[in-house]
């Protein structure tokens, strides 16, 4: 997807849909083009419930993210094997929910995204924020810099994430 098409799709969702699920389809397309599908899988977990015992969303997680990244060999065998679940993507509608994520860190009874997934991306397509458990972060904000260069930087940063390691390359 080129920059102009990407921005056009984001504007359509913003003007016509006003739901985070609308952004999810665009986010998935970008991720699909930047994640090595020989090594990793992108699993849509947006319809799972936290209280159900699911393969990529344990019962003690703070919430279920929209997408989970696993290694290609991952299969659910009845045991939640977090070693093969490598990261997650949380899609939001509003900019403020993307800038100030509320599910990154653990609470008394539930694990935060970083404690379970190790690598987390919060995005609404306009703003992308990356976090990893070692403290590394980056942000791309198309609201501040609507340019092809920013889109190229986003693609470069997404491609540089080594989902198997603790930080990006």
């Amino acid at each position: 997807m080129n920059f102009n098409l990407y921005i056009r799709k984001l504007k359509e969702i913003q003007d016509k849909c006003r739901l985070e699920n609308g952004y999810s389809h665009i986010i998935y397309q970008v991720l699909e083009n930047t994640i090595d599908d020989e090594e990793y899988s992108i699993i849509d977990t947006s319809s799972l419930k936290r209280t159900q015992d699911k393969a990529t969303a344990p019962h003690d997680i703070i919430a279920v993210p929209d997408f989970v990244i696993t290694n290609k060999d991952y299969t659910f065998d009845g045991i939640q094997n977090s070693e093969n679940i490598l990261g997650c993507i949380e899609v939001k509608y509003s900019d403020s929910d993307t800038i100030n994520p509320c599910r990154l860190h653990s609470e008394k009874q539930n694990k935060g995204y970083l404690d379970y997934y190790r690598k987390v991306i919060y995005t609404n397509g306009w703003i992308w924020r990356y976090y990893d458990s070692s403290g590394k972060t980056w942000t791309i904000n198309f609201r501040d810099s609507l340019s092809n260069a920013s889109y190229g930087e986003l693609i470069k940063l997404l491609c540089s994430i080594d989902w198997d390691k603790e930080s990006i390359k």
Side-chain angles (χ1 to χ4, degrees), residues 54-97:
K54 298 294 182 182
T56 56
H59 68 280
D60 63 345
I61 196 78
I62 201 163
V64 179
D66 295 295
F67 300 103
V68 170
I69 308 299
T70 68
N71 64 23
K72 197 64 171 182
D73 297 328
Y74 174 76
T75 56
F76 182 57
D77 61 2
I79 301 169
Q80 292 157 341
N81 184 348
S82 63
E83 291 178 18
N84 295 319
I85 299 172
L86 308 172
C88 76
I89 295 85
E90 179 69 11
V91 179
K92 294 297 186 187
Y93 176 76
S94 75
D95 290 354
S96 61
D97 289 341

Side-chain angles (χ1 to χ4, degrees), residues 143-158:
R143 302 269 195 218
D144 291 343
S145 177
L146 188 61
S147 70
N148 195 23
S150 294
Y151 185 69
E153 182 66 13
L154 171 65
I155 300 302
K156 177 182 160 190
L157 286 168
L158 290 172

Side-chain angles (χ1 to χ4, degrees), residues 38-128:
E38 300 279 324
E39 291 188 44
Y40 308 112
S41 296
I42 306 168
I43 301 168
D44 183 343
T45 54
S46 61
S47 62
L48 297 180
K49 304 277 188 251
R50 181 182 61 83
T51 55
Q52 296 172 335
D53 198 25
K54 298 294 182 182
T56 56
H59 68 280
D60 63 345
I61 196 78
I62 201 163
V64 179
D66 295 295
F67 300 103
V68 170
I69 308 299
T70 68
N71 64 23
K72 197 64 171 182
D73 297 328
Y74 174 76
T75 56
F76 182 57
D77 61 2
I79 301 169
Q80 292 157 341
N81 184 348
S82 63
E83 291 178 18
N84 295 319
I85 299 172
L86 308 172
C88 76
I89 295 85
E90 179 69 11
V91 179
K92 294 297 186 187
Y93 176 76
S94 75
D95 290 354
S96 61
D97 289 341
T98 302
I99 294 169
N100 301 305
C102 63
R103 297 173 177 155
L104 263 178
H105 303 289
S106 295
E107 296 176 353
K108 286 182 183 179
Q109 297 177 351
N110 298 314
K111 289 183 181 178
Y113 287 157
L114 275 177
D115 291 328
Y116 188 74
Y117 296 106
R118 299 186 311 262
K119 292 183 173 62
V120 179
I121 296 173
Y122 269 77
T123 186
N124 63 357
W126 294 102
I127 299 170
W128 291 74

Side-chain angles (χ1 to χ4, degrees), residues 22-38:
Y23 286 130
S24 291
H25 304 287
I26 302 166
I27 305 309
Y28 183 87
Q29 288 178 354
V30 171
L31 292 170
E32 190 174 50
N33 289 323
T34 58
I35 291 178
D36 181 355
D37 65 358
E38 300 279 324

Side-chain angles (χ1 to χ4, degrees), residues 11-25:
K11 287 180 179 179
E12 286 175 357
I13 298 303
Q14 177 180 278
D15 295 342
K16 297 176 183 177
C17 182
R18 298 200 179 268
L19 295 171
E20 72 181 43
N21 189 36
Y23 286 130
S24 291
H25 304 287

